[in-house]
């Protein structure tokens, strides 16, 4: 650390101590003036973010950490920037706006320094130092935003998959999962988890997997269906696949996929009748039981 950098750190630290509220107010004003939000984040929340970040800056500046690593290596400062970025991501702000909001702190800090000195060399040194310091913060906020947004999207996709694969109780000890759309590995996992849990909760003996809404069945989809059937059987329940249309039956035959060990039916109604028969057995005249 050079003497000039030490002096800049001391000057910025003093400004943060003596003019912290002024810096926070100016930073909030800049974000609102420059329309860097486009969200419903209010002025009070912006002020809380500003206070947290400014408070975290002080120990970072007072440390021996090189300026290029202050933001990433100072725990409090790193947490403040990451927290700000995640809140902006959840509020729907853009990553660019989030990064620019952090960078706007430069102007607020420089204005506070100008109140203590008019020396051009000192101001230049302070500006260069703040650029190196806060450019890293801006980059970290952008990176955090993108990662946070991806995580939010993953969670929403997971929730959507769970909602799009409901387990329905059709009859006593008979459950059904109506599948709509493509059955891929991720969705198969969700289907299995939901179905197996429902089998345990309802003490089900038969699970119907309805593929009426599945547009096509290829080798991969067939394998996913087999995985689901095997998992259901391991729970001690029988599995019936319904919705096997002529086109799907033809495709399965052409692909040479062996579903001979699985009970299949053309419609959900036929599958339910077969499920009731599996549970109650045939009546005295060879007819199905009443299922009650």
């Amino acid at each position: 650390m050079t003497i000039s950098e030490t002096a800049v750190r001391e000057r910025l630290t003093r400004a943060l101590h003596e003019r912290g509220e002024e810096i926070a107010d100016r930073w909030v004003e800049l974000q609102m003036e420059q329309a860097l939000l486009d969200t419903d984040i209010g002025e009070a929340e912006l002020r809380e973010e500003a206070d947290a970040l400014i408070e975290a800056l002080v120990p970072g500046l007072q440390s021996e950490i090189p300026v290029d690593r202050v933001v990433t290596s100072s725990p409090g400062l790193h947490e403040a920037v990451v927290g700000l970025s995640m809140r902006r991501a959840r509020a729907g702000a853009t990553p660019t706006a989030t990064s620019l909001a952090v960078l706007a702190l430069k102007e607020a800090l420089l204005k506070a320094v100008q109140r203590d000195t008019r020396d051009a060399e000192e101001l230049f040194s302070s500006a260069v130092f703040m650029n190196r310091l806060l450019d890293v913060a801006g980059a970290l906020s952008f990176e955090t935003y993108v990662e946070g947004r991806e995580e939010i999207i993953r969670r929403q996709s997971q929730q959507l998959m769970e909602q799009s694969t409901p387990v329905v109780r059709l009859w006593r000890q008979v459950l059904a999962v109506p599948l709509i759309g493509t059955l891929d590995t991720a969705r198969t996992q969700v289907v299995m988890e939901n179905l197996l849990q429902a089998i345990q909760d309802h003490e089900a003996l038969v699970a119907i997997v309805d593929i009426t809404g599945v547009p096509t069945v290829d080798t991969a989809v067939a394998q996913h269906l087999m995985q689901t059937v095997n998992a259901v059987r391991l729970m001690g329940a029988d599995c019936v696949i319904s919705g096997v249309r002529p086109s799907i039956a033809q495709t399965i035959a052409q692909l040479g996929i062996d579903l001979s060990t699985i009970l299949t039916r053309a419609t959900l109604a036929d599958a339910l009748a077969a499920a009731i028969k599996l549970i109650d057995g045939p009546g005295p005249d060879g007819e199905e039981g009443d299922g009650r």
Side-chain angles (χ1 to χ4, degrees):
M1 183 184 300
T2 64
I3 296 177
S4 60
E5 183 175 316
T6 301
V8 170
R9 284 180 181 247
E10 292 175 351
R11 187 179 302 113
L12 288 175
T13 301
R14 185 167 59 252
L16 289 168
H17 275 305
E18 298 176 355
R19 306 185 187 279
E21 291 188 6
E22 177 185 320
I23 294 170
D25 289 338
R26 180 54 183 159
W27 187 27
V28 171
E29 289 175 5
L30 287 170
Q31 293 180 75
M32 301 184 74
E33 288 174 3
Q34 298 173 14
L36 296 175
L37 300 175
D38 293 329
T39 68
D40 57 357
I41 297 178
E43 185 174 349
E45 187 172 351
L46 290 177
R47 180 55 193 262
E48 289 180 6
E49 289 178 346
D51 289 340
L53 190 55
I54 288 171
E55 182 180 355
L57 269 172
V58 173
L61 291 172
Q62 292 176 330
S63 70
E64 297 294 326
I65 302 173
V67 60
D68 296 328
R69 297 205 303 269
V70 167
V71 173
T72 55
S73 300
S74 180
L77 187 53
H78 183 274
E79 182 179 345
V81 175
V82 168
L84 181 151
S85 301
M86 290 299 295
R87 283 189 294 274
R88 301 297 171 92
R90 287 191 289 266
T94 66
T96 300
T98 301
S99 181
L100 289 175
V102 173
L103 296 177
L105 180 57
K106 292 180 183 180
E107 183 177 335
L109 273 171
L110 188 58
K111 185 175 181 180
V113 173
Q114 285 177 324
R115 291 184 175 276
D116 294 331
T117 179
R118 293 291 179 177
D119 184 274
E121 186 176 350
E122 290 183 358
L123 290 175
F124 177 77
S125 297
S126 298
V128 170
F129 184 90
M130 283 187 288
N131 281 335
R132 294 175 63 192
L133 175 70
L134 294 178
D135 282 350
V136 176
L140 175 62
S141 68
F142 190 95
E143 179 183 351
T144 301
Y145 177 101
V146 172
E147 292 177 352
R149 198 66 182 162
E150 288 176 351
E151 177 60 28
I152 291 171
I153 292 172
R154 281 194 294 270
R155 286 202 304 268
Q156 291 174 340
S157 298
Q158 178 75 9
Q159 292 169 356
L160 184 60
M161 280 196 297
E162 291 176 353
Q163 292 173 359
S164 65
T165 53
V167 179
V168 182
R169 183 175 182 270
L170 294 182
W171 203 262
R172 176 179 57 85
Q173 296 181 307
V174 179
L175 303 175
V177 181
L179 299 179
I180 300 175
T182 304
L183 188 64
D184 56 17
T185 302
R187 194 171 181 206
T188 300
Q189 185 65 31
V190 173
V191 170
M192 283 198 293
E193 290 177 358
N194 292 348
L195 182 55
L196 297 182
Q197 185 61 50
I199 289 173
Q200 179 177 325
D201 294 342
H202 296 282
E203 298 181 351
L205 296 179
V206 181
I208 300 173
V209 179
D210 184 67
I211 61 172
T212 303
V214 177
T216 59
V217 174
D218 54 17
T219 304
V221 172
Q223 289 175 346
H224 294 317
L225 288 173
M226 289 297 296
Q227 290 174 8
T228 303
V229 171
N230 291 335
V232 169
R233 287 173 173 171
L234 286 173
M235 292 289 291
D238 289 313
C239 192
V240 182
I241 295 180
S242 65
V244 182
R245 307 183 298 279
S247 59
I248 289 182
Q250 184 177 0
T251 301
I252 291 174
Q254 290 173 346
L255 292 174
I257 300 171
D258 183 15
L259 297 182
S260 60
T261 60
I262 304 174
L263 183 60
T264 61
R265 290 292 183 269
T267 68
L268 183 58
D270 291 339
L272 178 58
I276 295 172
K277 187 175 181 179
L278 285 172
I279 293 175
D280 295 339
D285 296 325
E287 298 180 352
E288 301 163 1
D290 59 12
R292 291 179 296 180

